[in-house]
Amino acid sequence: RGLTEDVAIVRKFLGSGLEFLLCNSFSKNFGLYGERVGSLFIACQSPEIATCVTSLAKLKIRTNYSVPPLHGARIVATILSSAELRQAWEKELAEAREAVNTAHKEFATALKDGGLERFAKPRFGLFAQLFLTDAQVSKLSDDHAVYCAPLGRINVSSLDAANAKAVANAVIAVCK
């Protein structure tokens, strides 16, 4: 998937005339963890509704924080407002996305080859949720030095072809 695919549903909602809220974060795709950089987009059917909703949104925002940090927001604005920087960012984002997609495919293939058909479908995103039991998650860390979040949430972005197979083999071992 890519930016065009990501925005397709938003365009569909806009075209349908629905009123909706859309929140996004720039933490992952700009590497701005801890900077609280994102946006809130509100689609309203009329300017009058938009005025009321904007007023309420500002009130809610004001009660959460008075002055958000500007550093991260300025980085995002600089990159997105420069054709050259935006093109470089989109290229880097596509390369990172492809690396994660490749890791997902390698991981899913290794799981399938090991007999775990339920995980055979490649996924997308930074994580793969395996829905392991607490005992299986403990066994992964204790017996195989594979660390994951509860229920077997694996950070796929840390895998390459070689260690995807090793992690898959550990998952196979604890699932059998």
Side-chain angles (χ1 to χ4, degrees):
R1 298 182 182 204
L3 294 174
T4 302
E5 294 82 2
D6 287 348
V7 78
I9 191 68
V10 177
R11 289 185 175 133
K12 187 173 184 175
F13 276 37
L14 284 170
S16 73
L18 288 174
E19 293 183 314
F20 64 96
L21 301 168
L22 173 72
C23 298
N24 78 295
S25 168
F26 294 112
S27 293
K28 289 184 179 82
N29 58 8
F30 277 89
L32 293 170
Y33 299 95
E35 295 291 335
R36 297 191 317 187
V37 181
S39 67
L40 171 64
F41 173 83
I42 305 170
C44 300
Q45 291 182 351
S46 73
E48 295 79 23
I49 293 172
T51 299
C52 291
V53 171
T54 300
S55 176
L56 290 171
K58 285 180 180 178
L59 183 63
K60 282 293 185 187
I61 290 167
R62 184 76 170 147
T63 60
N64 282 317
Y65 52 84
S66 281
V67 183
L70 292 175
H71 179 72
R74 287 183 175 147
I75 291 171
V76 172
T78 298
I79 292 169
L80 294 181
S81 63
S82 161
E84 182 182 342
L85 292 175
R86 182 182 178 116
Q87 183 178 17
W89 170 73
E90 287 184 12
K91 181 178 182 285
E92 290 171 9
L93 191 62
E95 290 167 356
R97 182 176 51 251
E98 188 53 40
V100 171
N101 289 343
T102 299
H104 269 292
K105 289 174 192 164
E106 295 282 344
F107 189 52
T109 299
L111 289 169
K112 181 181 177 185
D113 291 348
L116 293 181
E117 293 288 329
R118 66 183 177 173
F119 303 123
K121 183 179 177 188
R123 296 168 172 85
F124 59 92
L126 296 178
F127 300 95
Q129 183 68 58
L130 302 178
F131 299 102
L132 302 177
T133 66
D134 289 344
Q136 289 169 323
V137 170
S138 293
K139 209 161 172 45
L140 269 178
S141 62
D142 295 345
D143 297 353
H144 303 279
V146 172
Y147 304 95
C148 60
L151 296 176
R153 185 173 185 239
I154 302 279
N155 183 344
V156 178
S157 67
S158 66
L159 302 178
D160 60 23
N163 63 14
K165 187 169 179 73
V167 171
N169 287 337
V171 172
I172 292 162
V174 303
C175 287
K176 290 196 174 195

